[in-house]
Amino acid sequence: MRLRHIPGAEQMIEESPYVIQKPEERKGKWHEVFGNHNPIHIEVGMGKGKFIMELARTNPEVNYIGIERYSTVMLKALQKREQLQLSNIYFMCVDAKNMAEIFEPGEVARIYLNFSDPWPKDRHAKRRLTSPQFMEVYDKILSRDGRVEFKTDNRGLFDYSLESVPEAGWKILESTFDLHHSEMAEGNVMTEYETKFAAEGKPICKLTAVR
Ligand code: SAM
């Protein structure tokens, strides 16, 4: 997702109390940011943030961090965030490939990847968020029993992930090609893209990966 440039977006993000500036300075000290030792769950590529804000609202015992690399998209999430009274969620405007500089090994308990950009060309495969390169980053920061949960409507990206994830040394704990009509649907929280695709009747794929 990329939106038209919004003048002043960067400055608004720099001044927001909900966005962590220089997140690499928090490495190993994220519990200080939240003021507790609750587990940290991250969404990589949160877009406008519907999913992660809903999770933060319903799970006060979990700390959430939404990562989005585009400031114009982040701004949309911030507009929503400002209307909520929540102390367990922050955002970061960074590229997820740098997460190992931002979190200590084991500092993160769960990573959500929702409707990640498919990057269909082979020469862009490294940019897919389920590529071995990204799985290596997640391996560095996730706790031993941590997990990655990935949802997409894109069958090509999903089929790729069913191969790339085990190739990177991970186990696929469970998977489905039709989340909304499967046992994995229980407790499912819909993202912005998921709501749109489900309304169009597209099946949603999901996998959960552990080491
Ligand atoms: N997760 C949301 C949903 O399901 O509605 C948004 C999906 S949107 C297709 C994917 C988002 O991931 C885009 O906003 C994009 O900018 C972001 N993104 C993709 N690669 C990223 C990366 N390496 N680091 C941070 N954000 C990324």
Side-chain angles (χ1 to χ4, degrees):
M1 188 190 309
R2 225 170 162 167
L3 302 174
R4 207 150 39 90
H5 180 71
I6 302 171
E10 281 80 8
Q11 196 184 343
M12 281 186 257
I13 286 164
E14 274 168 30
E15 290 170 1
S16 171
Y18 306 118
V19 182
I20 302 295
Q21 315 296 334
K22 301 192 181 148
E24 58 290 341
E25 291 180 5
R26 311 295 178 137
K27 188 174 179 177
K29 295 184 280 199
W30 282 95
H31 62 276
E32 291 174 10
V33 172
F34 290 100
N36 60 53
H37 284 82
N38 292 343
I40 295 176
H41 294 187
I42 291 176
E43 185 184 8
V44 175
M46 69 165 174
K48 297 178 190 171
K50 173 182 184 286
F51 170 84
I52 195 163
M53 282 188 260
E54 176 64 15
L55 286 187
R57 202 178 58 73
T58 50
N59 300 290
E61 72 294 350
V62 176
N63 295 325
Y64 291 92
I65 300 175
I67 298 182
E68 172 52 54
R69 69 174 157 184
Y70 289 121
S71 55
T72 46
V73 183
M74 170 73 75
L75 210 55
K76 298 277 176 195
L78 276 181
Q79 285 162 358
K80 237 182 283 175
R81 172 69 183 89
E82 279 157 14
Q83 294 158 19
L84 301 171
Q85 299 288 323
L86 294 171
S87 55
N88 62 332
I89 178 165
Y90 286 97
F91 298 149
M92 294 192 300
C93 200
V94 297
D95 190 318
K97 71 179 180 199
N98 301 321
M99 285 199 304
E101 278 92 73
I102 293 171
F103 298 100
E104 278 287 283
E107 204 169 12
V108 176
R110 190 173 300 179
I111 295 174
Y112 294 104
L113 311 172
N114 291 321
F115 299 85
S116 314
D117 302 316
W119 295 109
K121 291 186 182 143
D122 283 350
R123 67 187 152 91
H124 290 147
K126 273 198 285 194
R127 298 183 193 176
R128 297 175 193 153
L129 293 184
T130 50
S131 67
Q133 289 81 358
F134 270 99
M135 295 310 293
E136 200 181 318
V137 174
Y138 310 148
D139 183 41
K140 285 187 185 148
I141 65 171
L142 271 179
S143 54
R144 280 321 304 166
D145 58 351
R147 56 164 68 190
V148 172
E149 294 194 15
F150 170 53
K151 292 196 276 190
T152 183
D153 65 303
N154 189 302
R155 188 59 194 264
L157 179 63
F158 195 67
D159 287 345
Y160 163 83
S161 307
L162 288 173
E163 290 185 9
S164 64
V165 169
E167 268 169 33
W170 293 65
K171 285 193 274 293
I172 295 185
L173 196 62
E174 48 183 357
S175 70
T176 173
F177 295 113
D178 192 359
L179 173 64
H180 296 173
H181 301 102
S182 79
E183 284 174 7
M184 288 174 76
E186 202 189 323
N188 182 50
V189 171
M190 303 254 270
T191 80
E192 233 123 27
Y193 273 61
E194 186 172 356
T195 307
K196 188 170 95 108
F197 292 134
E200 291 169 8
K202 283 194 181 169
I204 306 300
C205 305
K206 178 171 181 180
L207 67 78
T208 300
V210 295
R211 274 100 101 225

